[in-house]
């Protein structure tokens, strides 16, 4: 673990007498590891203020006293809080840095964000009612976009804590994103709003030690009987909020927990997906398991025709979730973006992390069929408004999806069909994976950069003209949806309130 010259403090738990240790002077609260009493530190005395609920097993690789480095400074994870909202939940790990500062490592379905308190807080912070979804504002010298506006509550906690909202009491969280991948979280739960700022991280970048030993962990899963047909249903992932019954294909809502009343909706059995649930494929050098499948339909404004595509939800314990998209114009691998891309005039162009994109389509998306497990509550008939963008160079793709509570951006790259077949060890069935693949937007070898610029300008003018004529969305009866991968659901790359 990280070390410091700061004096540690220890006192007996007022509930059971077991020692409760404070490593950080900034920790005012702690949860006794023996009797789960919640205690507050008042001078050299601990006072019991309640009892904390048991933690949910989220199969996180992190644990208390794991240590690492942030920008060269050692830190130790000394506390954990689990939060829940209508659309899902996330975890905040209290990180104690060797220089005496504190930070938060937010964890949401395998995505991580490292944040620190914004000091000093901006004097011109707007009231929450002024922060509508999608609104833009400038704070701390940076332009932000409102990505989420949600009510949440503390569900459980352990270890040392710098703050302790009353368990079960809801508070408002507003999340802002910037076009360079920064994240700003505003907690309006207290008398004074609390702000934290940071960015997305990979666990490998933090040089973490003391993680859980995955080889000794046994995941037994959860079991219950389908409320529609009574057949047994097994849940493999603790973060699952929706699942389908393998017998009657009913879609079951688990957002209230298995102990709560289970809500189900029947759906007709669809054609089996090309890639079966449970299949494991190799992407980006690691194995990904197929845990969910969606069939989605799209329809452009003023167009009677619909188009369809498939989305596979992939899971890796270290990297979380990503999506493999199977569309008529090719395959793509995408993940939720932490930041919010910068949009050009009328949304005809966008830029994100140094890459430029041109709008290719806008449409209403509807979930038509669901199978497997999902980390957000999925409903058949669920609808979102989507916009897809294609990179001006290379195979990059970018997508925006908006529901009534959240704006989610996702980004990734197109994949060759042969790459997908090979990833799942199905080279002998390569023909089944072939699609009308769209090539990258680049000039030919002898055309020079002048033609590239000219084509780019023509595309921008064309998109703007179409947007003006159709109220912001292009329309074509023969349109095939770009495999951009816009996805519904709460997680957008690591919620970190």
């Amino acid at each position: 673990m990280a070390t410091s010259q700061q004096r540690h403090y220890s006192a007996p738990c007022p509930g059971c007498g077991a020692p409760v240790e404070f490593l950080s002077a900034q920790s005012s609260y702690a949860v006794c590891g023996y009797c789960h009493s919640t205690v507050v530190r008042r001078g050299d005395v601990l006072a019991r203020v309640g009892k904390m609920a048991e933690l949910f097993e989220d199969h996180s690789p992190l644990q208390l006293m794991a240590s690492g480095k942030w920008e060269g400074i050692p830190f130790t994870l000394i506390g954990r809080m689990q939060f829940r909202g209508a659309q899902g939940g996330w975890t905040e790990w209290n990180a104690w840095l060797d220089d005496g500062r504190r930070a938060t490592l937010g964890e949401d379905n395998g995505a991580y964000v490292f944040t620190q308190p914004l000091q000093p807080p901006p004097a011109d912070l707007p009231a929450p009612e002024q922060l509508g979804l999608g609104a833009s504002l400038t704070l701390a010298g940076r332009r932000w976009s409102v990505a989420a506006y949600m009510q949440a509550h503390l569900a459980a906690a352990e270890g040392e804590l710098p703050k302790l909202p009353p368990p079960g009491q809801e508070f408002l969280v507003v999340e802002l994103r910037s076009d360079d991948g920064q994240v700003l979280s505003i907690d309006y739960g207290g008398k004074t709003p609390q702000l934290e700022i940071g960015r997305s991280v990979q666990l490998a970048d933090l040089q973490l030690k003391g993680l859980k030993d995955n080889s000794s962990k046994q995941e037994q899963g959860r079991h219950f009987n389908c409320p529609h047909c009574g057949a047994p249903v097994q849940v493999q992932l603790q973060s699952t909020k929706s699942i389908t019954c393998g017998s009657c294909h009913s879609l079951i809502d688990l957002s209230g927990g298995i102990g709560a009343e289970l809500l189900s909706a029947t759906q007709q059995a669809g054609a089996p997906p090309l890639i079966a649930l449970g299949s494991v494929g190799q992407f980006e050098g690691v194995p990904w398991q197929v845990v969910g499948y969606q069939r989605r339909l799209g329809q452009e404004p003023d167009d009677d025709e619909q188009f369809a595509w498939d989305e596979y939800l992939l899971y890796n314990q270290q990297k979380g979730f990503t999506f493999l998209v199977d569309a008529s114009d090719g395959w793509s691998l995408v993940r939720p973006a932490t930041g919010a891309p910068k949009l050009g005039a009328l949304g005809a162009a966008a830029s994100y992390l140094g890459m430029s994109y041109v709008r290719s389509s806008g449409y209403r998306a509807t979930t038509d069929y669901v199978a497997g497990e999902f980390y957000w509550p999925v409903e058949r008939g669920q609808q979102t408004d989507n916009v897809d963008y294609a990179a001006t160079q290379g195979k990059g793709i970018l997508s925006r999806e908006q529901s009534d509570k959240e704006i989610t951006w996702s980004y990734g790259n197109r994949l060759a069909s042969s790459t997908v077949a090979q990833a799942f060890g199905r080279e002998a069935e390569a023909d089944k994976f072939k699609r009308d693949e769209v090539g990258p937007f680049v000039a030919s070898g002898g055309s020079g950069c002048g033609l590239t610029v000219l084509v780019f300008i023509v595309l921008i003018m064309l998109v703007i003209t179409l947007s003006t004529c159709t109220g912001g969305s292009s329309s074509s009866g023969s349109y095939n949806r770009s495999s951009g991968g816009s996805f519904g659901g709460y997680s957008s790359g690591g919620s970190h309130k």
Side-chain angles (χ1 to χ4, degrees):
M1 60 172 282
T3 60
S4 173
Q5 300 301 318
Q6 184 176 321
R7 180 176 68 90
H8 297 177
Y9 170 77
S10 179
C13 171
C16 69
V20 178
E21 184 173 289
F22 287 81
L23 298 180
S24 171
Q26 298 188 42
S27 298
S28 300
Y29 297 88
V31 177
C32 175
Y34 294 88
C35 69
H36 302 289
S37 290
T38 302
V39 299
V40 61
R41 181 177 171 180
R42 295 170 179 167
D44 289 335
V45 179
L46 298 183
R48 186 176 186 271
V49 294
K51 188 176 179 67
M52 185 58 64
E54 294 281 350
L55 289 161
F56 295 95
E57 174 51 60
D58 53 11
H59 303 313
S60 169
L62 304 176
Q63 62 181 347
L64 292 183
M65 307 312 295
S67 61
K69 287 187 177 181
W70 168 252
E71 297 182 344
I73 301 174
F75 70 86
T76 303
L77 301 181
I78 60 175
R80 170 167 61 157
M81 290 186 289
Q82 293 181 327
F83 293 93
R84 293 290 181 269
Q87 297 299 312
W90 74 95
T91 296
E92 293 182 5
W93 294 88
N94 182 23
W96 169 52
L97 279 69
D98 260 18
D99 60 6
R101 294 179 298 161
R102 77 165 187 88
T104 299
L105 180 56
E107 178 183 17
D108 180 12
N109 297 303
Y112 301 89
V113 175
F114 203 94
T115 61
Q116 293 179 279
L118 179 61
Q119 300 293 345
D124 55 347
L125 183 66
E129 55 269 19
Q130 296 177 293
L131 298 175
L133 196 62
S136 296
L137 68 157
T138 300
L139 285 175
R142 182 178 274 109
R143 193 67 177 169
W144 302 92
S145 176
V146 179
Y149 191 98
M150 54 192 169
Q151 293 286 337
H153 66 271
L154 175 66
E158 67 173 341
E160 297 179 45
L161 311 168
K163 59 183 178 181
L164 190 65
Q169 180 175 311
E170 290 197 336
F171 55 88
L172 176 64
V173 181
V174 178
E175 287 197 348
L176 311 180
R177 309 292 174 93
S178 71
D179 61 356
D180 60 353
Q182 294 287 308
V183 180
L184 180 62
S185 177
I186 308 175
D187 178 354
Y188 284 99
K191 294 181 180 180
T192 303
Q194 302 295 313
L195 289 79
E196 291 209 4
I197 187 170
R199 60 179 174 82
S200 176
V201 296
Q202 295 287 329
L203 290 187
D205 299 333
L206 299 177
Q207 304 175 43
L208 286 164
K209 299 179 181 179
L211 299 178
K212 288 181 182 177
D213 182 5
N214 294 328
S215 63
S216 63
K217 185 178 69 175
Q218 295 182 353
E219 298 181 10
Q220 300 296 332
R222 298 174 289 168
H223 302 265
F224 65 93
N225 293 329
C226 173
H228 183 69
C229 71
V233 178
Q234 181 173 353
V235 186
Q236 298 291 345
L237 303 177
Q238 186 66 29
S239 57
T240 295
K241 295 296 181 290
S242 297
I243 192 170
T244 54
C245 172
S247 298
C248 69
H249 306 285
S250 293
L251 181 58
I252 306 168
D253 180 10
L254 299 180
S255 57
I258 289 180
E261 180 181 0
L262 296 177
L263 303 177
S264 66
T266 59
Q267 59 176 357
Q268 295 295 322
L274 175 61
I275 305 173
L277 295 176
S279 300
V280 177
Q282 289 282 336
F283 294 102
E284 301 175 340
V286 298
W288 296 86
Q289 184 178 22
V290 179
V291 297
Y293 165 80
Q294 282 193 99
R295 180 73 168 172
R296 304 189 74 186
L297 303 176
Q299 187 170 9
E300 292 188 299
D302 304 320
D303 193 339
D304 295 333
E305 296 185 12
Q306 289 185 322
F307 50 94
W309 71 96
D310 295 335
E311 295 176 359
Y312 297 89
L313 178 62
L314 310 183
Y315 175 74
N316 174 274
Q317 188 181 39
Q318 293 294 325
K319 293 182 175 291
F321 293 94
T322 194
F323 296 85
L324 179 63
V325 182
D326 178 9
S328 59
D329 60 352
W331 295 84
S332 57
L333 190 69
V334 297
R335 57 179 47 84
T338 300
K342 182 179 180 180
L343 296 178
L346 300 177
S351 62
Y352 184 60
L353 299 180
M355 291 189 63
S356 298
Y357 300 83
V358 176
R359 175 172 169 157
S360 57
S361 59
Y363 51 93
R364 172 65 60 89
T366 303
T367 299
D368 184 58
Y369 180 75
V370 180
E373 302 182 33
F374 296 86
Y375 60 80
W376 72 92
V378 180
E379 298 177 6
R380 188 170 182 267
Q382 204 169 50
Q383 293 188 327
T384 55
D385 292 313
N386 296 12
V387 180
D388 288 346
Y389 295 81
T392 57
Q393 293 286 336
K395 298 183 178 181
I397 48 182
L398 182 71
S399 295
R400 180 184 188 271
E401 177 170 304
Q402 180 169 355
S403 65
D404 58 346
K405 297 182 183 297
E406 186 179 34
I407 295 175
T408 301
W409 285 90
S410 57
Y411 70 106
N413 289 282
R414 297 182 183 276
L415 298 175
S417 59
S418 59
T419 299
V420 180
Q422 183 178 7
F424 289 95
R426 298 175 62 178
E427 294 90 339
E429 303 174 87
D431 287 346
K432 295 182 179 180
F433 290 81
K434 286 185 177 179
R435 302 292 181 266
D436 296 329
E437 298 174 1
V438 177
F441 181 83
V442 294
S444 62
S447 59
C449 62
L451 180 58
T452 300
V453 173
L454 177 61
V455 174
F456 176 73
I457 294 174
V458 172
L459 279 173
I460 290 291
M461 295 179 64
L462 178 61
V463 171
I464 292 176
T465 302
L466 290 174
S467 299
T468 303
C469 295
T470 64
S473 297
S474 61
S475 179
S476 170
S478 61
Y479 166 68
N480 288 325
R481 187 248 183 195
S482 172
S483 51
S486 295
F487 311 105
Y490 171 79
S491 173
S492 47
S495 199
H496 46 273
K497 125 67 208 98

